[in-house]
Amino acid sequence: MSPARTPRYTVPGLGVDEGRQVIDLLTLRLHALNDLALTLKHIHWNVVGPHFVAVHEMLDPQTAAVREMADAAAERISALGGEPQGTPGVLVKERTWDDYSVGRADAIAHLGALDLVYTGIIEDHRTAVEKAGEIDPVTEDLLIEHLRGLEQFQWFVRAHLESSSGTLSNAGADTEEAAAAAASPQRATAKRTPAKKTALPAPAKKTTAAAKKTAKKTASKRTTR
């Protein structure tokens, strides 16, 4: 355990050891929220296609709200006597997940992958709520409030993926790439379609001596990098 997370004091009603346990819970939640805010911005910058405007503009309010969640988690860590860790290096070192894996892509493909991101963070938040509830109801309440927002945001995302029969287009996908491909048929087709064969060039016509001389001069000016 990092010495920076071992509090010298904590809030009234909790022991120092209990405060330390809550700080540990909140620290990973802080990392997850900071990572989510960055992921939402990455998607915001990299969506393309006919749904660009709708998705591009939907993600900014989500980013702002997630940043507020991260701020609330960090301030709770401080109130408990801990030291919130908000640097990129600590996030990468201590997180238990990999970077978001989809680059520039169709907006619906991104939403298919983002749905999995939200599922992961919501599941982990729920686990943290259960553990916090055994120690600190104030932190439990804070995380429950986060869940209300996160689950609403996932609903917004899933509304773009749901059919009229209530089926999600990315159902059953267990990776971001698979979810993106399932959500956007064009993305899946583009990956499956082999490159078209190009026609062979027509046989070169015989050239006159003057033409050969000109071609030789032109070729001598070309460079290879």
Side-chain angles (χ1 to χ4, degrees):
M1 184 178 300
S2 170
R5 291 188 203 159
T6 303
R8 295 180 180 276
Y9 66 91
T10 193
V11 295
L14 286 185
V16 171
D17 287 341
E18 292 172 319
R20 183 179 59 208
Q21 292 176 55
V22 178
I23 289 167
D24 282 345
L25 282 176
L26 284 171
T27 294
L28 199 56
R29 295 299 82 223
L30 175 61
H31 293 337
L33 291 166
N34 279 333
D35 187 85
L36 177 60
L38 292 170
T39 298
L40 289 169
K41 264 304 181 184
H42 168 84
I43 298 171
H44 172 84
W45 295 322
N46 284 287
V47 293
V48 296
H51 301 282
F52 164 77
V53 173
V55 174
H56 183 78
E57 294 184 351
M58 178 183 74
L59 295 180
D60 260 345
Q62 294 191 18
T63 305
V66 170
R67 284 174 173 165
E68 289 183 4
M69 294 177 193
D71 189 53
E75 290 181 352
R76 182 61 183 164
I77 290 171
S78 291
L80 287 161
E83 181 180 335
Q85 301 291 310
T87 61
V90 173
L91 190 162
V92 172
K93 180 181 178 181
E94 298 185 356
R95 69 184 180 182
T96 58
W97 56 91
D98 295 326
D99 271 342
Y100 182 73
S101 58
V102 182
R104 192 168 185 82
D106 177 79
I108 301 302
H110 270 298
L111 293 183
L114 180 58
D115 178 42
L116 262 65
V117 174
Y118 270 124
T119 293
I121 192 171
I122 287 168
E123 287 177 346
D124 288 347
H125 247 65
R126 282 182 169 273
T127 299
V129 165
E130 293 178 7
K131 293 179 179 179
E134 299 171 359
I135 308 169
D136 178 27
V138 177
T139 297
E140 178 189 29
D141 183 64
L142 173 68
L143 295 175
I144 289 172
E145 188 62 31
H146 288 178
L147 279 169
R148 289 192 184 98
L150 294 169
E151 290 176 1
Q152 183 186 55
F153 296 156
Q154 187 177 37
W155 169 46
F156 292 167
V157 169
R158 286 181 164 180
H160 293 79
L161 307 173
E162 186 178 2
S163 69
S164 58
S165 63
T167 302
L168 295 175
S169 59
N170 64 340
D174 57 2
T175 67
E176 291 162 1
E177 282 287 350
S184 178
Q186 295 112 336
R187 181 181 177 87
T189 301
K191 287 193 170 186
R192 289 196 301 265
T193 304
K196 292 182 179 180
K197 293 181 179 180
T198 55
L200 293 174
K205 295 181 179 179
K206 292 182 179 180
T207 56
T208 62
K212 288 181 179 178
K213 187 176 181 180
T214 302
K216 187 176 181 180
K217 286 183 179 179
T218 304
S220 67
K221 295 179 182 178
R222 295 173 186 165
T223 58
T224 304
R225 293 186 181 180

